[in-house]
Amino acid sequence: MTSLVIAEHDNSELKDATNKTVTAAAALGEDVHVLVAGSGAGAVAEAAAKISGVSKVLHADAPYLEKQLAEPMSALVTGLAANYDAVLAPATTTGKNFMPRVAAALDVAQISEIVSVDGPYTFTRPIYAGNAMMQVQTADPKKVITVRTTTFEKAGNDGSASVESVDAPADPGLSSFVSENLAKSDRPELTAARIVISGGRGMGSKENFEIIEKVADKLGAAVGASRAAVDAGYAPNDWQVGQTGKVVAPELYIAVGISGAIQHLAGMKDSKVIVAINKDEEAPIFQIADYGLVADLFKAVPELEAALG
């Protein structure tokens, strides 16, 4: 069974999500190939060739692939799918954009956000906001799969795969990239950070978020927020952690003033160590926390900052 993994990258740097998706693909058995589609992404293709377990890298280069828009990406992947038993992509914004089109073009059912590979045709994925796990089987001749990368280990970088150029199909011309405004920060990217400290509605205001930002800077952590905090205007949208936000699984997750609604838990419950600070001892967050502190966050968090020196 040969699998094709669609690389996650920004044309200059390969993202860890690719390595983790390779781990999922390797569990299917036999060969794993990686497709790097972009513009001027030769360095990314070379980096992909070093991923452990990858036997070949396909490099498609075209100006209209720079932003990996859904229409040209689905046309490219669908054309290559004839040579593969499975096509996998990280369940990121990019992967979720073009993979459903690939599944529709191949007339198969997409298997979304798998958290484990239980066999060549059997997978486990979360349902009900992560409160239950469902094992699914497919009889489709080709499998189109998105991978929740937070649950897979990162493949190493000691490989030496060959890099082969492939022709990209003509641009369908159905969409075009206009612009993007990216938030710039010296802190780690939220989904890739080793430590995340998140604030909830209990923070009370946007200004009060500075309390946890100071701790984050001392820990080298990313800052997150619950949906309630984002909806209240305390934090920007790109900080949101949860079912409708970003899914994270850092080594340490600190939840400050977060009650622990199931939608938030779905986005962080796979964290290695969870610390909760909340003055309500009945808050659901304490049910999954490894360490819980029942305290006033406006006293406890500054004390934590002081202790960190």
Side-chain angles (χ1 to χ4, degrees):
M1 180 178 292
T2 306
S3 301
L4 178 66
V5 171
I6 316 302
E8 181 86 8
H9 64 91
D10 60 4
N11 293 294
S12 60
E13 181 182 359
L14 188 69
K15 304 301 183 183
D16 285 350
T18 306
N19 296 59
K20 294 179 178 181
T21 304
V22 166
T23 298
L28 290 170
E30 297 189 21
D31 288 345
V32 177
H33 296 177
V34 173
L35 170 65
V36 174
S39 179
V44 176
E46 293 298 330
K50 296 178 182 178
I51 301 177
S52 305
V54 174
S55 57
K56 182 189 290 186
V57 174
L58 305 180
H59 181 204
D61 193 279
Y64 51 84
L65 292 174
E66 179 182 2
K67 296 299 181 179
Q68 295 187 312
L69 299 179
E71 293 85 359
M73 281 297 296
S74 60
L76 172 62
V77 175
T78 302
L80 295 171
N83 301 319
Y84 297 96
D85 301 294
V87 179
L88 301 91
T92 58
T93 301
T94 302
K96 291 178 180 179
N97 195 24
F98 66 81
M99 286 294 273
R101 288 176 174 268
V102 174
L106 297 175
D107 195 24
V108 300
Q110 177 176 301
I111 305 170
S112 302
E113 302 216 20
I114 66 166
V115 296
S116 71
V117 178
D118 305 321
Y121 301 95
T122 309
F123 309 89
T124 298
R125 61 180 300 270
I127 58 173
Y128 300 127
N131 284 285
M133 292 294 170
M134 179 172 67
Q135 191 175 68
V136 296
Q137 278 191 325
T138 178
D140 289 327
K142 293 188 185 298
K143 293 170 283 293
V144 176
I145 302 166
T146 60
V147 178
R148 180 169 287 192
T149 55
T150 55
T151 61
F152 289 91
E153 294 295 325
K154 177 183 174 183
N157 290 293
D158 57 358
S160 57
S162 61
V163 179
E164 176 184 314
S165 294
V166 295
D167 293 329
D171 182 6
L174 298 174
S175 64
S176 61
F177 176 78
V178 177
S179 65
E180 63 185 356
N181 294 308
L182 301 177
K184 294 183 179 180
S185 173
D186 293 331
R187 299 190 186 101
E189 202 279 321
L190 186 57
T191 57
R194 292 177 56 251
I195 303 173
V196 174
I197 179 167
S198 290
R201 182 159 36 197
M203 298 303 301
S205 71
K206 181 178 181 179
E207 290 71 27
N208 287 341
F209 255 82
E210 294 179 4
I211 299 173
I212 63 173
E213 289 182 58
K214 291 177 181 178
V215 175
D217 291 337
K218 289 192 174 182
L219 291 173
V223 178
S226 68
R227 177 172 179 172
V230 171
D231 287 349
Y234 302 165
N237 289 334
D238 58 343
W239 287 8
Q240 184 174 325
V241 173
Q243 183 184 11
T244 55
K246 295 179 179 178
V247 177
V248 301
E251 294 178 18
L252 172 63
Y253 188 90
I254 305 174
V256 180
I258 294 175
S259 63
I262 59 172
Q263 291 85 355
H264 185 76
L265 301 186
M268 45 67 70
K269 64 184 180 61
D270 291 324
S271 304
K272 305 299 185 293
V273 176
I274 299 172
V275 175
I277 302 174
N278 199 303
K279 66 181 181 181
D280 179 10
E281 63 182 20
E282 301 296 327
I285 190 72
F286 288 123
Q287 297 178 13
I288 67 163
D290 297 286
Y291 301 93
L293 176 61
V294 180
D296 183 348
L297 69 89
F298 296 106
K299 180 180 179 182
V301 176
E303 289 177 350
L304 173 59
E305 182 199 352
L308 291 171

